[in-house]
Amino acid sequence: TDIISPKEQTVVEKEGYLLKAKIAEGGKKLRKNWSTSWIVLAGGKIEFYKESKQPALANLKAGYKPEWVDLCGANIEWTTEKSSRKNVFQITTISGNEFLLQSDIDFIILDWFHAIKNAIDRLPKQ
Ligand code: I3P
């Protein structure tokens, strides 16, 4: 169709499945709940979709808004303390939201770490 979401006009730098757990909101600790998420890195932010991109696009037409993270001023670091899983890194936003992302596959999580770190480093710091 000719229907193009404004979102789709930003360049998608990377997308794919990772395990995600949000562990804090506005600095307040949340109960950890890992789930598979379709993750889209684009336009200085990360969007988290519950399903694959196709159902997600159908959702967009219905006005579905994915959860998203503003990477401006965010911090990214590997952590071995916040999970018993391997290959976990944490993203902390300026607003005090904390997310863990994980993949058992080394090159997948490494690619994601570097893509997100590069995106953060290209953005203004505040
Ligand atoms: C949590 C669940 C998580 C685990 C977390 C548990 O239990 O098992 O998978 O995190 O460990 O508390 P529940 O489902 O009862 O909330 P990891 O898989 O990342 O280790 P934690 O409390 O040490 O964070």
Side-chain angles (χ1 to χ4, degrees):
T1 72
D2 292 337
I3 302 166
I4 299 170
S5 158
K7 276 189 179 58
E8 298 308 307
Q9 292 171 10
T10 61
V11 176
V12 172
E13 293 175 44
K14 191 169 177 61
E15 56 187 341
Y17 287 107
L18 289 179
L19 225 56
K20 180 202 89 171
K22 188 176 187 179
I23 58 166
E25 165 116 36
K28 281 184 71 178
K29 204 168 182 287
L30 299 174
R31 180 172 173 181
K32 188 195 282 166
N33 183 20
W34 288 103
S35 65
T36 301
S37 186
W38 180 259
I39 299 189
V40 178
L41 173 62
K45 62 183 184 170
I46 300 175
E47 295 173 337
F48 299 111
Y49 292 87
K50 287 186 186 118
E51 303 170 83
S52 70
K53 194 68 189 291
Q54 278 323 108
L57 275 175
N59 284 335
L60 277 177
K61 281 181 198 162
Y64 173 83
K65 297 273 198 303
E67 185 176 17
W68 61 280
V69 166
D70 182 5
L71 290 178
C72 204
N75 184 63
I76 182 170
E77 63 186 351
W78 294 104
T79 176
T80 54
E81 284 126 43
K82 302 217 173 155
S83 175
S84 59
R85 295 169 186 272
K86 68 167 189 172
N87 294 347
V88 177
F89 63 77
Q90 176 172 336
I91 297 169
T92 306
T93 67
I94 275 190
S95 57
N97 294 347
E98 298 175 10
F99 296 86
L100 302 180
L101 295 176
Q102 192 268 349
S103 170
D104 283 339
I105 303 165
D106 295 357
F107 81 87
I108 288 180
I109 199 70
L110 273 172
D111 280 359
W112 271 104
F113 183 88
H114 290 121
I116 295 170
K117 189 170 182 359
N118 285 341
I120 289 172
D121 289 346
R122 275 186 270 111
L123 290 164
K125 295 284 170 274
Q126 31 93 36

